[in-house]
Each structure stands twice: as C-alpha cells, then as structure tokens.
Amino acid sequence: MKEIQYDNQIVRWWVIGAIVWGLAAMLGGVILAFQLVYPELNMGLPWISFGRLRPVHTNGAIFGFTLSIVFATFYYAIPRLLKTPMWSSKLSRVHFGLYTLTIVLAVVTLVSGITQSKEYAELEWPIDVLIAAWWVIMGLNVFMTIKNREEQHLYAAIWFFIATIVTIPILYIVNNLSIPASLWKSYSIYSGSTDANIQWWYGHNAVAFVLTTPILGMMYYYLPKHSRLPIFSHRISIIHFWSLIFIYIWAGPHHLLYQPIPDWAQTLGMVFSVSLIAPSWGGMLNAFLTLTQAKDKIRTDATLKFILVAMTFYGMSTFEGPMMAIRSVNMISHNTDWTIGHVHGGALGWVAGMMFVAMYYLVPRLWNTKLYSEKLAEIHFWMATVGVLVYMVSMWVSGITEGLMWRAVDSTGALQYPDWIEIVRTLKPYRIARALGGTLFLSGFILMVYNLIQTIRRKGQGFVPVDLREAASK
Amino acid sequence: MSEEHKNLTFYEKLSEKIESKSLKFILFTTLAVLIGGLVEIPPFFLMGSVQKIESVKPYNALELAGRDAYQQEGCFYCHTQVIRPFKWETDRWDRNREYGPEPFSKAGEFVYEHPFLWGSKRTGPDLSHEASLNNNASWHRAHLMNPRETTPGSVMPAYPWLFESKLDAAEVKSHMRALQTVGVPYTQTDMDAADELVKGKTQGDALIAYILKLGRDTMVVK
C-alpha cells in the first residue's frame, strides 16, 4: 500500500504559534487581573491600560491561542481521518502567513485604541477583510480535501469542524458590517437595540463555534486516539451534534435580559439556553462513558486527566450557563464578576484543558520523540486545575456578593450601599484571589512550555506510544 | 441488507444517509445554523419595534469626539449604559427623580448609537444618567486625571493623555459623514458647527462633553 505523505511542517508552525499567543494572552490576563486591584499597574502607559489590554487578552486567548491549536488539529487530524493529504499545502501556508499577520495587526491596533467596541469583534474593518480572506482560503482547502477524500465516511470530529468552518463567516460578516470613516475607524451599520441583538447573536455563537464545536471535534479525535478506545456511542454523537448546532444559534439574547430588546426575543434566548443543557451534556456523557473504559489509565496519564477534567468543566459550564440565562438568576448575575468566573470555567477549564491535551499529543509525534517529562505534565495538570478552581470560586463569591450588594435595601426601603466605591472595596480580596488563581494557571502553562521545548530539543529520537497500563503496574 | 445495517438505530440510519455525502452534510449544517438567526434578527428590521423618543438628539461634534474617545479607551468594558427595570437600579441611577414614572432604559434612547455601548460588566457604575447624577465638569476632569483623587479606592485607570491629545475638526466631520451614511440625521448646520465646537479642545474635554450628554435628552424634569 502506498504511504500517504502528510504535511507535518504546517502543524508544527501552528503549535509554535499557539505557544506564543497563549503565553501573551494569559500574561495579559494576569496583568489585567492585578490592574483591577492595583490600577497603577499600567504605569501610566495608554497601551496597557485596562480598556485597551482587555481586548488583547480576550482576542489573544480566543482567536490567537485557541484557534491556532484548532487549526493545528485541522491540518493534523483532517488529512488522517480522510486518508488524504491536504488539497494544497501552499494554501495551508498562505493561511498561516495571513493569520499570523492578522494577530500582529490585532495586537498593534488594539493597544493603540483602534476598536469597533463590540466584544470579540473589536478588530477594525481592514483586519476583518483580512480574516474573511484567510477563512475562505482555509475553508476551501479543507472542503477540497474532503471532496478528494479516500475515506468515504466522515467521522464525528469532522462534523464539528465543518460546523465551525460554515458558521463563523456567517456570524462574523453580519455582525461586522460597518461604514468606514477612515482606514482605522468605522461605525456599525446597526444602531442601539438592533446592534445589541446582532452583537450577542454573534458573541454567543463565537462561544459556540470557536470555543465549543471545534473543541468537541478535538475531543472526538484525541480521546479515542490517545486512549486507543472507541467512542462510547455513535448515536449520542449524532443526536448531540445536530441538536447542539441548531439550538446554540438561538441563545444569544440571554445576554440582553431585562434590557430594551423585545420580550419575545429575550424569552427565546432564555428557553433555548436552558435547552442547551441536553446536547451539551450529551457530548460530556459520550466522553465520560468512553473514559470509563480507560479508568486504570487515568491514574497514570496526565493527558487523560486533562481530558477528564476538561469534560468536567465543560459539563459544569454548560449547566451554569443555562442557569444564568434564566431571568430570575440573571437578575443577580448579570454585569457581575460571576459572568467572568463562568467564562473562565469554560475558557481555562474546558478549552485550555483540551488545548493542553492537543499539545501533549501532537508535540512528541510531530518532532518524532518522547515527551521530555511525564512528571512535569502531571504537575502542570494540578497547577492548572487548582488555578481554575481558585479563579472560579473567587469570582462566584465576588459576583454574588456584588449582585446582592447592588440590590440590598435597609428597613426603610432605601439602598443599603448607595456609595458604589464601598462595593468595589468589598470585592478587593476576592479579586486578589482571582489574580493569584490566574497566576497559578499561567505558571502551569509556562511549565508546559518548558516541557515542550525540552521535548523538541530531543527531536528525532523516535516516538513510541506508551502503554500506560504497563507503566502503572511496574 | 447486511446484518450490521439492521442493527442500526433510527438516528444512525438517518445520519448514515449523509455521513458519506460531504456536500449534503455541509448543506444541512448550514441550514441548521441559519434558522435561529433568521427567526431572531429580521423582525428587528421588519417590525419597527423601537418606539421613537422625540427628545433624543444625535451627539454634536464635540460629544461625538468624546464618544470616540470612550470607544478608544474601552470604557464600556467596565461601565454599562443600560438601566434595567428594577427598583434597586432606578433608585440608584435616578436618585434625583428626573426620569418620570419609568426611569429605566428604553430602546428609543439608542436609535443613534452606532455601535450600542450598553456593556456587559459593571466594575464601575452605570453611566446612562450621568447628566442627572453628576453634571460637574471640573469634577469629571479631576476624576479622569486621577480617579483616586476624587474617589479613594477607585480601581479606574487615570487618563491624563486624553487631555494632551488635540482634536482635529476635519477628522470629526469625516466621522459625522460616516454616521450620516448609516442613518444619523446630521444637518449641514451640525456639520458647520463642528469647527467652532472642536477648536482648541482635547479628547479629554470631548469625553467630558459626552459624559454630560448621557441621559440629558430623556430627563423629564430639568
């Protein structure tokens, strides 16, 4: 049989890019967390003041770090699942080049205060055009590879990747329509409540189609590959895939409860958000039931531990989210630190967790060697897990505290805390705890980077998949 | 029919029809993700759900430059501009009782807001009614120069650089023209007034003018 030549070089580039953007985004996050307690930390510099650094952190984490590993997985897993090399390795490289240019432009413009002021859609119109260009290039390359495939059957991981490739441009283009006033300034063509509705239709589905579907696709690839066990249920994959992508799109207006958009839209947003528990937990259960077949391996393998904990955080976030989308809960949680805690439970616990899985899986294979240290990976796992927990719990306490202080009244019915700054002062210890949790998470990340660099330095020594059960019994 | 095929469940049989047909699969995926948006977005344009408030006027040139500065510094990451219909919110942000019997935010207040700046996080207080709550320009200047001077314990960054950055009337006018294109009814008089309004002013001055416009048009009692 003819051996298929896969392009590993492009995957290596994406992994290295992810390390760089991941470090930058998380370092930015830690600086921001400390700035929320010690505002002087921007040292009087405009470009690292909170309002400019925050979009660098969010865009860097979502579109820099996460998307880089998602694309690494596209270029690694899709050809292997289809038994076909990428259609055009030249286009793969053009995609990487334009993408990297985008991220650099994004950082430079955002710290300069050039922004559309829509969350996760801050980048100004010339960068939007650039993004549309490389998205089409990437989509074309993937779809042509699918068209030329040797393996007829499309495996579940591919479904989730297709959903991302198709949906992101629809969301991105509609939400970013604007009239340029100059090269670096434009105004949304929508106004007020219409703009808000479209923004959160986009914003919530950026969570769905950048931070959920491709990551589930990664779970469907890396979990069975790494554990060498089949996915527990094909039927669950089918049901949860179609219901997830159909329902997610409706959930956006839960960001606008009690705000001036029509009631019917708010109610639709709430109902569909609550319904999302079912397909989300379907995915979680499929992973858990697969993992139960590998119980003995989990004890000795950091990568499997990361999958287990990532799926647990996925389950937690997809339960917490629907609860927060219910009007009576949202009344307290909206606009508070609770939302930030919720986001990071998903972003650090679930998304970053799966990113680490991908890196520990890919790096030894791509550089044809052994992972430098399983022990360090194990320590990284614990630092990451404890880090997220400290982060989340402190934000729960902080968020619920502020939500309750805003509405507290005394026996005469007057506001108990009319002075805003009193609330800010109360939240200080929890925000310090959050910053420390984030620092721990970042330290774990740095440890992983050290581990991966040491692995890469020993490249070419030959990759041998370890049977973890054997290692355990010794 | 093979033995294996008979054992497939209803869903698996359904899915089997497209799992090997990539074009169909992509098409069905696209349809699945389009439906929600098609139900939730077009009605905003077709139903005329926004009730107009006559007193709401577009920003003048200086205020618009202030709004641009507000966008530039990402103020909306920590300040909301939308008051929910709860007593504890209206008590806090209409403490002077100047906004009538329904002192919460209504869609008609935002018809000239491109983009909307409602925000999603209240690290600092809501600013929708700042014209009513604190219309002292020199307080705002001192606060923007160093928030801890007026408000000990504040975690807001200081913005001294805004008061060093001079405005350019031509640039502001180009912004007004772009907004005209998306439907803000700027008149020739509004455009002509720009030079005079902006002359010698800094981004910081403009930001204060913008803050003092927030909630000014909807005050019932003035």
Side-chain angles (χ1 to χ4, degrees), chain A residues 158-169:
Chain A
I158 308 254
W159 312 344
F160 286 93
F161 298 154
I162 288 176
T164 296
I165 296 172
V166 167
T167 314
I168 290 298

Side-chain angles (χ1 to χ4, degrees), chain A residues 22-231:
Chain A
L23 273 178
M26 287 183 200
L27 179 65
V30 168
I31 294 172
L32 289 166
F34 279 107
Q35 280 185 4
L36 278 174
V37 186
Y38 309 105
E40 297 86 354
L41 270 179
N42 66 28
M43 294 169 288
L45 302 170
W47 49 88
I48 56 163
S49 66
F50 188 90
R52 295 197 193 179
L53 195 57
R54 200 198 102 137
V56 177
H57 163 64
T58 55
N59 285 280
I62 300 170
F63 304 117
F65 175 53
T66 306
L67 267 190
S68 288
I69 286 292
V70 167
F71 291 143
T73 305
F74 278 15
Y75 290 116
Y76 185 86
I78 291 175
R80 283 168 173 81
L81 287 171
L82 301 175
K83 297 199 169 66
T84 313
M86 287 305 294
W87 180 59
S88 159
S89 86
K90 196 173 279 172
L91 283 189
S92 307
R93 281 160 172 71
V94 173
H95 172 206
F96 181 81
L98 292 179
Y99 168 93
T100 306
L101 175 67
T102 303
I103 300 293
V104 172
L105 283 176
V107 173
V108 174
T109 54
L110 290 173
V111 299
S112 312
I114 293 165
T115 168
Q116 294 185 146
S117 311
K118 291 173 100 168
E119 280 181 72
Y120 324 118
E122 282 93 347
L123 303 176
E124 266 296 355
W125 69 273
I127 306 178
D128 292 341
V129 174
L130 190 61
I131 291 170
W134 57 251
W135 197 276
V136 169
I137 289 170
M138 178 274 294
L140 178 74
N141 202 0
V142 171
F143 285 166
M144 287 309 288
T145 310
I146 291 178
K147 184 167 177 280
N148 296 338
R149 68 191 183 279
E150 292 292 326
E151 167 63 55
Q152 273 309 301
H153 182 258
L154 297 173
Y155 172 63
I158 308 254
W159 312 344
F160 286 93
F161 298 154
I162 288 176
T164 296
I165 296 172
V166 167
T167 314
I168 290 298
I170 302 172
L171 300 165
Y172 200 80
I173 293 171
V174 173
N175 186 47
N176 278 292
L177 289 180
S178 61
I179 293 289
S182 62
L183 184 59
W184 295 118
K185 176 78 186 168
S186 70
Y187 293 100
S188 171
I189 65 164
Y190 316 109
S191 75
S193 52
T194 307
D195 196 39
N197 184 48
I198 291 174
Q199 156 63 20
W200 287 113
W201 166 76
Y202 162 82
H204 190 71
N205 288 300
V207 175
F209 291 90
V210 176
L211 299 177
T212 305
T213 52
I215 321 301
L216 283 170
M218 287 169 57
M219 182 276 282
Y220 275 108
Y221 183 76
Y222 293 118
L223 173 53
K225 288 300 277 187
H226 181 72
S227 64
R228 296 204 253 168
L229 289 163
I231 280 291

Side-chain angles (χ1 to χ4, degrees), chain B residues 17-217:
Chain B
K17 293 196 175 109
I18 54 169
E19 274 174 34
S20 301
K21 304 268 185 295
S22 54
L23 204 62
K24 268 193 191 159
F25 196 96
I26 292 168
L27 200 74
F28 285 141
T29 304
T30 313
L31 285 176
V33 300
L34 277 176
I35 297 170
L38 286 175
V39 173
E40 287 181 351
I41 293 173
F44 277 71
F45 299 97
L46 304 172
M47 284 165 59
S49 50
V50 177
Q51 212 177 349
K52 217 168 177 266
I53 302 173
E54 285 305 326
S55 57
V56 173
K57 297 282 178 283
Y59 299 104
N60 74 24
L62 186 64
E63 292 155 358
L64 177 63
R67 193 176 194 269
D68 292 340
Y70 189 89
Q71 283 189 270
Q72 171 189 305
E73 299 305 337
C75 304
F76 72 98
Y77 290 120
C78 291
H79 293 282
T80 54
Q81 284 189 28
V82 65
I83 298 170
R84 299 180 296 171
F86 303 135
K87 187 172 182 297
W88 75 81
E89 294 216 348
T90 54
D91 275 359
R92 187 180 296 277
W93 289 300
D94 183 25
R95 62 168 175 265
N96 304 329
R97 303 279 178 262
E98 292 178 312
Y99 291 90
E102 293 187 337
F104 47 82
S105 298
K106 289 167 266 320
E109 294 168 29
F110 304 100
V111 290
Y112 304 130
E113 297 283 307
H114 298 267
F116 80 115
L117 293 175
W118 296 354
S120 61
K121 179 75 181 72
R122 264 180 203 154
T123 304
D126 189 274
L127 299 177
S128 308
H129 290 164
E130 207 55 16
S132 152
L133 296 174
N134 184 352
N135 65 359
N136 180 342
S138 56
W139 183 91
H140 281 294
R141 192 187 164 89
H143 180 247
L144 285 166
M145 287 297 289
N146 180 9
R148 275 148 298 287
E149 201 178 298
T150 55
T151 318
S154 165
V155 295
M156 187 173 119
Y159 291 97
W161 59 85
L162 289 179
F163 294 92
E164 288 155 21
S165 161
K166 283 267 189 287
L167 293 175
D168 170 19
E171 193 188 328
V172 180
K173 277 196 271 191
S174 78
H175 293 182
M176 292 172 86
R177 273 193 296 275
L179 284 168
Q180 256 179 340
T181 322
V182 294
V184 180
Y186 282 124
T187 61
Q188 194 53 47
T189 327
D190 295 331
M191 306 287 282
D192 293 341
D195 292 289
E196 198 54 39
L197 279 168
V198 162
K199 203 169 138 190
K201 294 288 197 328
T202 63
Q203 276 194 302
D205 302 324
L207 182 56
I208 294 169
Y210 168 69
I211 292 170
L212 298 184
K213 160 84 155 81
L214 295 174
R216 197 176 63 207
D217 296 347

